[in-house]
Amino acid sequence: MILEARSREYCEARVRAGVLEQGTRDVLIEAGVGDRLQAEGLVHGGIHLRFAGEDHRIALGELTGGRTVTVYGQTEVVKDLIAARADSGAPLLFEAEDVELAGVDGDRPVVSYRHAGAAHELRADLVAGCDGFHGVCRRSIPAGILSTWERGYPFAWLGVLAHVAPSTDELIYARHDRGFALHSMRSTEVSRLYLQVAPDEELDSWPDERVWAELRSRLAYDGWTLQEGAVSEKSITPMRSFVAAPMRHGRLFLAGDAAHIVPPTGAKGLNLAVADVTALAEAIEDWYATGSAAGLDGYSERCQRRVWRAQQFSWWMTQMLHVDPGDDEYGHQLALSQLRYLTSSTAAATTLAENYVGLTVSRVSAT
Ligand SMILES: Cc1cc2nc3c(=O)[nH]c(=O)nc-3n(C[C@H](O)[C@H](O)[C@H](O)COP(=O)(O)OP(=O)(O)OC[C@H]3O[C@@H](n4cnc5c(N)ncnc54)[C@H](O)[C@@H]3O)c2cc1C
């Protein structure tokens, strides 16, 4: 049983991540929800790093033995998952209200909720807490059980969706004196662009003309032109790093943003969520098939290794590519030096490439 607080229309319109690691793509195809992804997703074998008037390509595929990323919006992944669930006939309730958990310590946890005005109770074998950072699941774990680690950042991302063909075949990550910029895309007709802004920035201060002017100056490169188009969505995303562990309490298992958040610079949030639920699904299957709880018992530890790798990579990419307003010229020179090293050393570039395309998804059978 899946309980979702929002409407189907809301979930299918929500614009978020767009870069799928190789392992995420493989998992979605294996799960039978990869047809549109394979037909419409854009496979990228590289990314560009732009700084100090230079542009360098990091050849992801060549550096990782052929592993790549696929640009396919999270919105589209969500649509595909909802369609597959609807086709299966298994229950998925939208607009479930007042979801609450009880008794996760015991072997029959109870999930209560309201739907279409009526109160309901579910008695479950186990509960997968996949309800995001602000959801109810993590908060249902009694105080003193979870350890948490957190880091804030003195900036946010202003993101726009623009109806114009991307001005680049591959993503461009730019560090500029005025701040970070990213040229991404959702399809051959739709561009997704981001700018570093102050965390308390108001959207009203960013009319379209200002967004384009800032993107032009931060992404500038000799002989390259940024194509502009109609902006259909504009939002500001705060940046935060957060980890809660263990990702299990009794019969409740946390997955995705419910347990951890990364700044989006490393494109890891959605990929970590898919890796968690892949590991959890396999552990649950194993438990029902064999009665062995080994997979469930090892779930948190197995996920945490990947989570912390993604935490470090996302933090590292973020501090290298953003301009910290509190930083001095020394910090600026360190970041430039790191970028120059990455773009001149195969070993350094391989480190970025391996992390960007993602580590392989851990299996229950793996030790
Ligand atoms: C605005 C924004 C932009 C982002 N951009 C990027 C990006 O560019 N790149 C990237 O890698 N990552 C990005 N992320 C992060 C990425 O989208 C998340 O890491 C990913 O969505 C995590 O998936 P999840 O399933 O764990 O959580 P979610 O996608 O948040 O899903 C949780 C679901 O639970 C539902 N829910 C919440 N509370 C309840 C409740 N009490 N009862 C029932 N249902 C509930 C929510 O409505 C939601 O549908 C972005 C996130 C945001 C918010």
Side-chain angles (χ1 to χ4, degrees), residues 3-6 11 14-18 74 96 99 130-132 134-136 157 186 194 237 255-258 264 267-270 273:
L3 300 176
E4 165 57 54
R6 301 289 193 160
C11 293
R14 192 165 40 187
V15 179
R16 288 181 171 180
Q74 181 172 344
V99 174
C130 310
D131 52 350
H134 300 287
V136 73
W157 274 18
R186 286 295 179 265
Y194 296 97
T237 308
D257 279 15
K268 291 285 167 247
L270 163 66

Side-chain angles (χ1 to χ4, degrees), residues 67-214:
R67 292 169 72 77
T68 54
V69 293
T70 302
V71 172
Y72 186 68
Q74 181 172 344
T75 314
E76 305 310 315
V77 174
V78 167
K79 281 185 204 160
D80 295 342
L81 292 174
I82 291 174
R85 182 74 179 183
D87 285 351
S88 77
L92 162 54
L93 291 189
F94 290 100
E95 300 179 71
E97 296 173 284
D98 303 333
V99 174
E100 278 178 36
L101 275 58
V104 288
D105 288 326
D107 58 7
R108 222 54 187 146
V110 178
V111 181
S112 57
Y113 64 98
R114 297 184 64 77
H115 189 251
H120 302 267
E121 263 190 13
L122 288 170
R123 281 170 202 284
D125 286 342
L126 35 83
V127 179
C130 310
D131 52 350
F133 184 71
H134 300 287
V136 73
C137 289
R138 190 180 68 255
R139 282 189 275 116
S140 305
I141 297 176
I145 304 280
L146 291 179
S147 296
T148 59
W149 299 265
E150 193 160 8
R151 178 146 305 184
Y153 298 87
F155 32 76
W157 274 18
L158 170 72
V160 298
L161 204 60
H163 287 264
V164 59
S167 311
T168 174
D169 290 342
E170 296 174 335
L171 273 69
I172 304 170
Y173 287 83
R175 180 188 168 101
H176 187 276
D177 291 350
R178 298 176 65 83
F180 169 79
L182 170 60
H183 190 323
S184 181
M185 63 285 291
R186 286 295 179 265
S187 69
T188 49
E189 285 104 42
V190 178
S191 299
R192 179 81 168 142
L193 301 127
Y194 296 97
L195 285 169
Q196 174 187 343
V197 295
D200 55 355
E201 199 74 56
E202 298 284 341
L203 265 185
D204 289 348
S205 321
W206 286 89
D208 296 356
E209 312 79 62
R210 183 177 176 205
V211 172
W212 288 115
E214 201 60 33

Side-chain angles (χ1 to χ4, degrees), residues 34-91:
D35 290 353
R36 230 160 46 88
L37 159 65
Q38 284 172 287
E40 297 171 24
L42 307 171
V43 176
H44 285 194
I47 56 168
H48 289 260
L49 295 178
R50 229 170 240 192
F51 56 93
E54 301 168 27
D55 181 285
H56 300 267
R57 180 170 188 263
I58 303 289
L60 302 173
E62 286 160 35
L63 292 165
T64 61
R67 292 169 72 77
T68 54
V69 293
T70 302
V71 172
Y72 186 68
Q74 181 172 344
T75 314
E76 305 310 315
V77 174
V78 167
K79 281 185 204 160
D80 295 342
L81 292 174
I82 291 174
R85 182 74 179 183
D87 285 351
S88 77

